[in-house]
């Protein structure tokens, strides 16, 4: 099964890489043509990622249907978002902020959706136990991180290869390897292989997850205390200082997101006993109740 999984997921990465390279080399000039090609790229990227993370070696028909439907949704949104970018001749040309927003939002949305796809692929039923969602959600982080490690190590070797030969005047490798077209082709292949190895090394993933949860669990009381102290200070300092920074909203929202992450790490799947003494639990509970205040200020 391990070898089959490596072959399948690496092949998925190769298919993605071939499409990405073709899109890079043949990127059109027209706005609508760009939107269509971007939608195709999004479809292939999302479908491939869904296959890589939800692959079980069985029920391939269900996996294909789930991955294709997910890719189609993201492709449709990409087409719509890209088509909203003003044309080159319009007064608002250059307003690509909405594209940047979608490139950030799409991976987050796919990450949030991923555990549901994985559970449905395994069971074939739309029943999602929180414990299973918790395990998949955290394991996906470290499996994806291992895929990125393979990509980073591979690219460091490529850089060494190209620059080493450039020292003696052989520039052909630098001209061939250090290009966006080669990166578009090779990096998805390495990522797919890294995901396959991450899925195989369940013990490594479990150890990394356990370590990360322990760190978050240890720091949660400190985070809650700092946040509540800040909130108590606001009536005495006023809000003018927040408005004057021009970036307070991002910091406050980062605090909200960090609190949710840390609480999730502390509670885990909810089956164990609370990890803190009653006083600390009350402090954390007060912080959770205060989250809407921070969001409202943001």
């Amino acid at each position: 099964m391990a070898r089959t999984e490596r072959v399948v997921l690496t092949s998925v990465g190769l298919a993605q890489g071939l499409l990405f390279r073709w899109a890079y080399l043949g990127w059109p000039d027209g706005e609508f043509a760009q939107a269509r090609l971007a939608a195709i790229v999004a479809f292939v990227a999302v479908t491939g990622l869904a296959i890589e993370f939800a692959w079980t070696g069985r029920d391939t028909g269900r996996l294909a249907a789930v991955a294709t439907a997910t890719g189609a949704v993201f492709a449709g949104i990409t087409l719509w978002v890209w088509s909203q970018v003003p044309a080159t001749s319009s007064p608002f040309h250059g307003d690509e902020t909405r594209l940047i927003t979608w490139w950030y939002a799409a991976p987050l949305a796919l990450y949030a959706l991923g555990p549901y796809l994985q559970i449905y692929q395994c069971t074939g039923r739309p029943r999602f136990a929180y414990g299973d969602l918790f395990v998949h959600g955290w394991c996906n982080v470290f499996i994806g991180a291992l895929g990125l490690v393979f990509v980073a190590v591979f690219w460091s070797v490529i850089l060494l290869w190209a620059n080493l030969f450039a020292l003696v005047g052989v520039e052909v490798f630098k001209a061939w390897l250090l290009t966006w077209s080669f990166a578009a082709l090779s990096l998805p292949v390495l990522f797919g292989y890294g995901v396959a190895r991450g899925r195989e090394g369940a013990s490594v993933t479990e150890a990394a997850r356990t370590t990360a949860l322990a760190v978050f669990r240890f720091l949660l009381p400190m985070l809650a205390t700092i946040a509540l102290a800040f909130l108590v200070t606001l009536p005495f300092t006023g809000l003018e200082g927040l408005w004057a920074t021009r970036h307070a909203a991002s910091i406050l929202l980062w605090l909200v997101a960090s609190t949710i992450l840390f609480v999730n790490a502390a509670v885990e799947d909810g089956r164990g006993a609370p990890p803190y003494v009653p006083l600390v639990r009350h402090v954390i509970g007060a912080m959770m109740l205060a989250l809407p205040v921070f969001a409202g200020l943001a």
Side-chain angles (χ1 to χ4, degrees):
M1 177 62 187
R3 175 171 293 184
T4 301
E5 187 169 86
R6 290 180 210 169
V7 171
V8 170
L9 301 193
T10 304
S11 299
V12 170
L14 177 60
Q16 289 175 312
L18 290 171
L19 186 280
F20 296 161
R21 184 175 185 275
W22 170 75
Y24 173 78
L25 295 176
W27 192 255
D29 295 326
E31 283 77 11
F32 186 68
Q34 290 179 358
R36 286 187 300 178
L37 187 52
I40 295 173
V41 170
F43 174 79
V44 173
V46 172
T47 302
L49 287 172
I51 293 174
E52 288 172 349
F53 280 86
W55 173 265
T56 60
R58 53 186 176 80
D59 301 316
T60 53
R62 182 163 65 229
L63 176 61
V66 169
T68 301
T70 305
V73 170
F74 278 78
I77 298 174
T78 301
L79 178 64
W80 179 79
V81 171
W82 202 291
S83 65
Q84 305 303 305
V85 176
T88 304
S89 58
S90 70
F92 298 101
H93 172 60
D95 181 21
E96 287 87 12
T97 303
R98 66 199 73 191
L99 285 181
I100 298 173
T101 303
W102 175 234
W103 296 138
Y104 281 110
L108 291 174
L110 184 60
Y111 169 73
L113 184 62
Y116 293 90
L117 301 179
Q118 291 168 306
I119 293 172
Y120 181 73
Q121 166 61 16
C122 288
T123 64
R125 296 177 296 176
R127 297 178 182 177
F128 310 103
Y130 177 73
D132 295 334
L133 292 171
F134 174 84
V135 171
H136 281 296
W138 278 96
C139 287
N140 287 346
V141 171
F142 296 102
I143 292 173
L146 187 58
L148 293 177
V149 167
F150 272 81
V151 169
V153 172
F154 170 79
W155 198 246
S156 66
V157 173
I158 292 297
L159 287 172
L160 178 62
W161 177 5
N163 287 289
L164 189 63
F165 277 88
L167 292 176
V168 293
V170 180
E171 300 283 346
V172 62
F173 296 115
K174 198 170 187 178
W176 176 50
L177 297 174
L178 301 186
T179 62
W180 283 109
S181 61
F182 177 75
L185 174 63
S186 60
L187 298 189
V189 177
L190 269 295
F191 183 78
Y193 181 79
V195 168
R197 296 307 301 262
R199 289 165 56 92
E200 292 172 24
S203 59
V204 176
T205 302
E206 178 67 21
R209 180 172 67 89
T210 301
T211 302
L213 294 180
V215 172
F216 291 135
R217 190 162 52 245
F218 173 75
L219 293 176
L220 175 58
M222 180 187 299
L223 176 65
T225 303
I226 294 171
L228 290 176
F230 173 80
L231 200 60
V232 171
T233 305
L234 282 183
F236 302 98
T237 61
L239 300 179
E240 291 78 8
L242 289 179
W243 312 148
T245 63
R246 311 294 295 177
H247 61 267
S250 59
I251 296 176
L252 293 171
L253 291 177
W254 181 254
L255 173 63
V256 172
S258 298
T259 302
I260 295 172
L261 173 66
F262 281 42
V263 170
N264 180 264
V267 176
E268 297 193 28
D269 57 8
R271 296 171 184 169
Y276 305 109
V277 298
L279 177 60
V280 175
R281 291 205 299 270
H282 290 322
V283 172
I284 295 171
M287 174 57 196
M288 293 295 291
L289 290 175
L291 289 184
V293 178
F294 287 103
L297 288 172

